[in-house]
């Protein structure tokens, strides 16, 4: 990995998500990412991120639950030394979605994806489960939230 260790508070990305209410794309900024090299890639955490521009049907999509005490775990691992590809995993992912119709729904889970050797952009996705309804309105119509998170960094991860 280069540089090793890597730390930034200005990385960027994109969150694409689908709920029963529709699909949206959010810009991700202010990604506070720390990574350290491992024998087959890198590991670390995201301790802050901001989301914006998520679409008119959503009053907000909030990543403020991601903090230094409750970070998103990041693992990037090659399939074997020198192999062309590997896996990226984001663990303990939490997003709070507020819809204009009223519901405020908290989703959580793990995102996974494929990454190429020498990459500096990492994309992972999965269906996140509804953890809690935090505001009047029904989240039960939407027990799952498909999230695809892309993070673009100044680090290059290779193995």
């Amino acid at each position: 990995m280069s540089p090793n260790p890597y730390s930034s508070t200005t990385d960027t990305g994109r969150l694409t998500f689908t709920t029963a209410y529709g699909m949206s794309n959010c810009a991700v900024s202010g990604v506070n990412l720390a990574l350290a090299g491992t024998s087959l890639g890198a590991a670390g955490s995201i301790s802050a991120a901001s989301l914006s521009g998520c679409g008119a049907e959503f009053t907000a999509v909030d990543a403020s639950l991601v903090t230094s005490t409750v970070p998103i775990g990041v693992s990037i691992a090659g399939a074997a030394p020198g192999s062309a590809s590997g896996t990226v995993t984001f663990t303990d992912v939490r997003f709070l979605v507020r819809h204009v119709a009223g519901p405020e729904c908290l989703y959580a889970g793990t995102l996974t994806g494929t990454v190429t050797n020498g990459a500096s952009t990492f994309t992972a996705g999965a269906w996140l489960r509804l953890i809690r309804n935090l505001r009047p309105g029904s989240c039960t119509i939407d027990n799952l939230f498909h999230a695809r998170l892309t993070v673009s960094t100044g680090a290059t991860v290779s193995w």
Side-chain angles (χ1 to χ4, degrees), residues 4-23:
N4 187 17
Y6 174 79
S7 180
S8 174
T9 59
T10 60
D11 286 337
T12 61
R14 178 151 301 284
L15 170 67
T16 302
F17 68 90
T18 305
T19 72
Y21 297 107
M23 181 178 164

Side-chain angles (χ1 to χ4, degrees), residues 8 13 24 64 78-79 96-97 104 116 123-124 128 132 141 148 150 156:
S8 174
S24 194
S64 65
L96 182 62
V97 178
E104 186 171 288
T116 58
T123 300
L128 300 180
R132 188 169 294 137
I141 187 174
R148 183 172 178 218
T150 298
T156 300

